[in-house]
Amino acid sequence: MTKALIIGGGIAGTVTAMALHKAGIDAVVYEAYPPEATDTGGAFLLVANNGLEALRTIDAHGPVLEHGFPATRVEFISNTGKRLGDKPMAGAEDGGLGAVTIRRATLARVLREEAVRRGVRVEHGKRLLAAQTGPDGRVVGSFADGGRAVGDVLVGADGIHSLIRRTIDAGAPRPRYTGQHTVCGYTRDVAEPPAPETYRMVFGKQAFFGCTTAPDGEVWWFSNAPAAELSKAELAAVTPGQWRERLTELFAEDHTPAADIVRATGESIVATAAYDLISTPVWSEEGMVVVGDAAHACAPNAAQGASLAIEDGVVLAKCLRDLPGPRSALAAYEGLRRERVETVAANSAGLARRTAPGPVKRALRDATMPRRLDRAGTTGGDWQTGYRIDWDEPVRS
Ligand SMILES: Cc1cc2nc3c(=O)[nH]c(=O)nc-3n(C[C@H](O)[C@H](O)[C@H](O)COP(=O)(O)OP(=O)(O)OC[C@H]3O[C@@H](n4cnc5c(N)ncnc54)[C@H](O)[C@@H]3O)c2cc1C
């Protein structure tokens, strides 16, 4: 019987483990941090319809729906304050699962809890230091605590700065800084919060802003803001007050609610530098493979990173279920996933580049967007959020 070692208990890791479990394959998750450390942190994200539907194939969407709140509409405002229109969020029509807003740490926690409830072993405090494949084809992982684990396949779900990606290919490209930080904040002091389940997206002149209202009335906001790249230590040293000041300056010239919402936010502001990795040339080697951000990472602008990580886990499990031996399964997984994830990541990079257009592009956007919104079906487009996985359909090599 195949045994999988999964490195990383974030989103991709726990979903891969649950999907393998459903496929009858033994999987153990090794997460570097203790549970309390991975369950904190302030950013929130959107699990799009494709992510929720992928979770549904393994019956794991319930906890995410329960701990998040729905996003069913999105409205757009220009920097002049002009309302450009609104649209249903893809997948929310006809009683579909739609999309869900949830804190990133909560998403990882509820998926992990669900995995454990199903009988998946999740070991915390297990930082992988090295992995290698022995002459018998089995993969050995060595951990910082001196422990070792042996399996038939090792899944690198260890995030954007993946060690497994570099182990598979020492020349693998490094993640690229997108030139932006994603800053998230939470406040109750907003004069006109967005309607329930609605994202209000604001095209600021210098930065992008979005916000939505949680069921308890708190407004959750984010901004994709241009900033110089900071080291981890430099980023940790920037205070919420400094981010507040910086963003208030960026939105000062706009006639939108963004600056007031930022100003009304206290200490609940967190920032993350945004990186992407559109193409990783080698995904697998000798029983090791990468999933989620370890394989491909999206700039946050298309709100797809978590959803793609979920899709990866389900598809990889199907391949390992249906094909004989890891080599053919890992090749099939890459064949099924590469084009899609690279297209989504490139799309997200394009959105990141268009965050602060010049005056001509702004005028064109404001003139044409209302018509385009009327014509388009939903936000996101079917190719991105309409992706579906059929769990029962066998994978063929
Ligand atoms: C601010 C922000 C906003 C975002 N917004 C969205 C959004 O709206 N929608 C969306 O879909 N995506 C969004 N994303 C992207 C999304 O969070 C990622 O794509 C997703 O978390 C990737 O999941 P993952 O499991 O691959 O990696 P991660 O969630 O990073 O998990 C990796 C795990 O591996 C562990 N690990 C790392 N190294 C080791 C090691 N050596 N040994 C053991 N464990 C290890 C880490 O501790 C971590 O728990 C956003 C990201 C950020 C930062």
Side-chain angles (χ1 to χ4, degrees):
M1 185 186 176
T2 304
K3 177 173 181 187
L5 312 178
I6 299 182
I7 308 305
I11 294 155
T14 41
V15 171
T16 306
M18 281 190 279
L20 287 171
H21 189 259
K22 185 175 165 77
I25 295 170
D26 184 23
V28 182
V29 177
Y30 299 95
E31 165 56 44
Y33 289 98
E36 60 275 18
T38 50
D39 198 14
T40 55
F44 67 92
L45 54 71
L46 186 84
V47 184
N49 192 239
N50 48 308
L52 286 178
E53 289 293 347
L55 284 174
R56 183 159 36 190
T57 62
I58 55 165
D59 311 308
H61 56 298
V64 179
L65 296 179
E66 191 187 326
H67 289 85
F69 56 92
T72 54
R73 281 201 93 69
V74 55
E75 61 186 27
F76 299 92
I77 296 177
S78 94
N79 60 292
T80 61
K82 181 182 169 195
R83 194 172 182 285
L84 300 173
D86 70 325
K87 275 281 142 206
M89 192 71 88
E93 328 83 334
D94 307 325
L97 289 178
V100 157
T101 301
I102 188 167
R103 283 192 199 238
R104 195 174 175 220
T106 307
L107 176 62
R109 174 175 62 81
V110 299
L111 290 174
R112 228 170 24 238
E113 285 173 356
E114 179 61 16
V116 169
R117 194 188 66 75
R118 293 174 182 209
V120 172
R121 207 166 96 216
V122 179
E123 295 197 14
H124 287 274
K126 298 292 281 188
R127 175 169 295 280
L128 187 93
L129 291 185
Q132 59 190 42
T133 308
D136 58 356
R138 303 203 81 203
V139 191
V140 183
S142 311
F143 297 92
D145 64 1
R148 272 162 40 103
V150 183
D152 304 294
V153 60
L154 182 142
V155 180
D158 51 344
I160 191 157
H161 302 292
S162 170
L163 171 67
I164 305 304
R165 182 174 61 232
R166 296 193 306 275
T167 305
I168 288 172
D169 174 13
R174 292 189 172 277
R176 175 184 65 167
Y177 178 55
T178 62
Q180 296 178 357
H181 277 62
T182 299
V183 188
C184 292
Y186 305 87
T187 178
R188 294 180 181 278
D189 196 6
V190 176
E192 287 181 47
E197 304 188 7
T198 301
Y199 265 87
R200 182 175 293 157
M201 302 300 203
V202 179
F203 295 105
K205 237 185 198 174
Q206 299 191 64
F208 189 83
F209 182 87
C211 60
T212 188
T213 309
D216 67 358
E218 188 172 55
V219 169
W220 294 20
W221 61 261
F222 71 92
S223 174
N224 295 326
E229 186 175 10
L230 300 175
S231 70
K232 222 173 165 183
E234 287 168 334
L235 181 58
V238 183
T239 65
Q242 287 168 323
W243 281 115
R244 198 165 45 236
E245 206 173 301
R246 162 90 180 126
L247 290 180
T248 309
E249 269 170 28
L250 285 174
F251 295 122
E253 273 184 62
D254 300 337
H255 301 277
T256 75
D260 282 345
I261 295 175
V262 171
R263 214 175 282 120
T265 306
E267 294 303 292
S268 299
I269 300 180
V270 287
T272 322
Y275 291 85
D276 71 3
L277 181 57
I278 293 175
S279 184
T280 296
V282 188
W283 279 25
S284 69
E285 180 73 17
E286 298 188 321
M288 295 186 219
V289 65
V290 277
V291 290
D293 278 9
H296 47 77
C298 290
N301 306 63
Q304 275 291 326
S307 295
L308 291 184
I310 293 166
E311 291 176 6
D312 279 356
V314 175
V315 174
L316 176 61
K318 282 187 57 175
C319 294
L320 285 163
R321 175 194 68 186
D322 294 344
L323 296 173
R327 185 183 284 269
S328 57
L330 303 188
Y333 156 71
E334 180 177 342
L336 288 168
R337 296 296 296 157
R338 181 181 279 284
E339 187 182 349
R340 171 167 171 77
V341 299
E342 290 185 353
T343 308
V344 176
N347 177 50
S348 204
L351 293 175
R353 278 196 300 277
R354 290 200 293 276
T355 295
V360 175
K361 286 190 173 157
R362 280 204 305 272
L364 193 67
R365 176 196 65 210
D366 291 0
T368 58
M369 196 158 181
R371 220 174 36 243
R372 281 189 286 129
L373 284 171
D374 276 349
R375 266 204 322 260
T378 52
T379 55
D382 280 349
W383 70 273
Q384 200 160 267
T385 56
Y387 180 84
R388 295 291 178 269
I389 301 164
D390 181 348
W391 177 259
D392 296 321
E393 189 191 0
V395 178
R396 297 178 211 288
S397 52

